[in-house]
Structures are given as C-alpha cells and as structure tokens.
Amino acid sequence: MPFCPSCRTEYREGFARCNECDVELVGALPSAESDKSDPEDMQLVELASFPNAAEAEMIRELLEGNDIDTVIRGDTDPIGATSGAEPATLLVAQNDLTRAREIYEAFFAGDVNLSESTPGEPQ
C-alpha cells in the first residue's frame, strides 16, 4: 500500500500522489524512531494566531494530545496575556500542518470525537 510521507495517510494501490499534500506517495513509511528529527532541522509553520497565550495553550494541549509537537511564539506575561506587540502564534512542524489543521478545524466545528480519526486509515 502506498503512503503519503507528509501526512502519513495510507492509499489504495493505483494512487501516485497525496490529494491533500500534493506529494509523491512512498511504498513504506519510516519507523517511528527515524521520524524523530532533530528539532533544529524542523521547519515550523504557523497554524493560527490568538489574542492571548491561554487560548493558544488550549489548542496546544489538544494537538500535543494527538502527538503533534507545537511551539507558542509571542511575548506573554505570567497570566498569559500578550504584550500587544505580537499575538500569540501557534507553530507546528511543516509535515504536521495538514493533520494539525484538521484537528484545529474539527475542534472549532464542535467535533468532540477527534481521537477516532487515526492517521494511516485507507482513503
């Protein structure tokens, strides 16, 4: 079965590209050990901006509960309020962006069964 190396979705035979990530599919995914790249090599991209760090932290917990590492960028004080100069921005690894966006959008759409969507399910 072919897989998308970016979002890790499994496809039926006959597919050559991921319809979400628009990348070539591969015959097998690397092991979980080799997926753990050096954080310095990771390309971070913005998922969303928030008016305060507390809201960003709420989404961060949701994503990290779904095995997506995150970083919050922005100046905050001890109670989580941003300085106003820059909003709190939630960053994820480029290769996790599609899955993170799906979880983020499902959360705000009121979908409470996020854990039921497992990566690697055939399309």
Side-chain angles (χ1 to χ4, degrees), residues 74-96:
D75 295 329
T76 61
D77 65 16
I79 62 169
T82 58
S83 68
E86 181 179 348
T89 303
L90 188 62
L91 306 172
V92 297
Q94 174 69 45
N95 61 343
D96 288 332

Side-chain angles (χ1 to χ4, degrees), residues 5-109:
S6 180
C7 68
R8 307 181 66 83
T9 300
E10 181 179 0
Y11 283 81
R12 293 183 301 239
E13 292 298 329
F15 287 89
R17 294 188 73 76
C18 176
N19 63 348
E20 293 293 321
C21 305
D22 195 32
V23 296
E24 296 252 348
L25 301 179
V26 296
L29 293 173
S31 69
E33 275 301 307
S34 62
D35 281 352
K36 299 293 182 190
S37 58
D38 183 356
E40 292 183 16
D41 294 337
M42 193 180 317
Q43 181 180 357
L44 296 175
V45 294
E46 181 178 330
L47 174 67
S49 291
F50 302 89
N52 60 59
E55 290 180 27
E57 185 63 37
M58 179 179 66
I59 300 302
R60 177 185 193 162
E61 289 176 15
L62 172 68
L63 294 175
E64 291 193 352
N66 282 278
D67 296 322
I68 297 176
D69 293 329
T70 63
V71 173
I72 296 177
R73 179 179 63 198
D75 295 329
T76 61
D77 65 16
I79 62 169
T82 58
S83 68
E86 181 179 348
T89 303
L90 188 62
L91 306 172
V92 297
Q94 174 69 45
N95 61 343
D96 288 332
L97 181 61
T98 301
R99 188 161 162 256
R101 189 171 285 140
E102 290 171 358
I103 293 169
Y104 174 79
E105 290 172 359
F107 176 78
F108 284 105

